[in-house]
């Protein structure tokens, strides 16, 4: 059974997954197109950080950053071994539930243009492409999506 819960991103297993995610992004995209948050930046009052686990093993991460007029999904990542088990969908449902609890009516995200599995996941959950938002600039490696709640 997959359990999704709030976790400190500095938890050793969570931090290890975040480092894997950062390494993957660095291998796929130029530095100017990497917008991930450092682990210590995920420990902020406006961020809800979640992990998904089976037993004691953390399989995935995701975060909700509360902005003035929307919530932004950050740090979505699932270990290679756990892909296809529904981990990302479980985290995404928790993020959406938390956004609703926080009074957020719109979710947005930025993801890499070559992360096709992520695009499919977000589309299955009702996200559609949108324009650039927040502090982002239009980049050749970015895809922006949103979903009204």
């Amino acid at each position: 059974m997959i359990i999704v819960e709030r976790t400190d991103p500095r938890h050793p297993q969570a931090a290890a997954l975040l480092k894997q995610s950062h390494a993957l992004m660095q291998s796929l995209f130029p530095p100017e197109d990497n917008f991930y948050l450092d682990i210590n930046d995920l420990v902020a009052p406006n961020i809800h950080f979640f992990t998904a686990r089976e037993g004691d093993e953390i399989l995935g991460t995701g975060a909700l950053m509360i902005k003035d007029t929307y919530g932004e999904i950050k740090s979505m990542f699932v270990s290679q071994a756990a892909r296809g088990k529904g981990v990302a969908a479980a985290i995404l449902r928790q993020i959406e539930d938390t956004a609703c609890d926080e009074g957020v009516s719109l979710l947005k995200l930025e993801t890499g243009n070559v992360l096709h599995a992520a695009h499919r996941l977000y589309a299955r959950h009702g996200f559609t492409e949108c324009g650039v938002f927040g502090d982002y600039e239009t980049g050749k490696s970015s895809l922006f999506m949103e979903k009204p709640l």
Side-chain angles (χ1 to χ4, degrees):
M1 170 190 281
I2 297 170
I3 306 294
V4 179
E5 59 195 354
R6 262 191 103 159
T7 307
D8 187 319
R10 298 167 294 197
H11 180 287
Q13 289 184 51
L17 280 180
L18 289 165
K19 288 175 185 174
Q20 286 177 36
S21 173
H22 297 170
L24 176 64
M25 296 307 109
Q26 290 168 355
S27 75
L28 294 173
F29 307 109
E32 66 272 13
D33 288 349
N34 273 305
F35 302 108
Y36 58 79
L37 295 174
D38 289 325
I39 293 168
N40 288 328
D41 293 335
L42 290 165
V43 185
N46 67 325
I47 295 179
H48 300 268
F49 181 82
F50 300 99
T51 57
R53 63 178 173 82
E54 279 185 326
D56 292 332
E57 183 182 4
I58 293 177
L59 306 173
T61 65
L64 169 65
M65 177 185 282
I66 305 294
K67 302 282 198 156
D68 288 336
T69 58
Y70 59 92
E72 183 177 353
I73 296 173
K74 302 291 287 182
S75 301
M76 287 287 292
F77 185 74
V78 175
S79 70
Q80 183 71 32
R83 292 184 186 158
K85 290 182 158 187
V87 173
I91 293 169
L92 192 53
R93 282 191 299 275
Q94 181 62 59
I95 287 172
E96 289 185 15
D97 289 348
T98 302
C100 288
D101 291 347
E102 291 284 331
V104 172
S105 61
L106 179 65
L107 285 176
K108 292 181 175 265
L109 63 91
E110 179 276 336
T111 190
N113 63 340
V114 298
L115 300 175
H116 303 295
H119 306 165
R120 289 189 298 274
L121 169 77
Y122 296 128
R124 277 195 310 272
H125 286 267
F127 285 81
T128 57
E129 288 188 39
C130 67
V132 66
F133 63 89
D135 294 333
Y136 293 104
E137 295 179 12
T138 303
K140 61 181 179 194
S141 301
S142 290
L143 177 71
F144 299 97
M145 301 181 86
E146 68 182 7
K147 176 182 179 178
L149 298 176

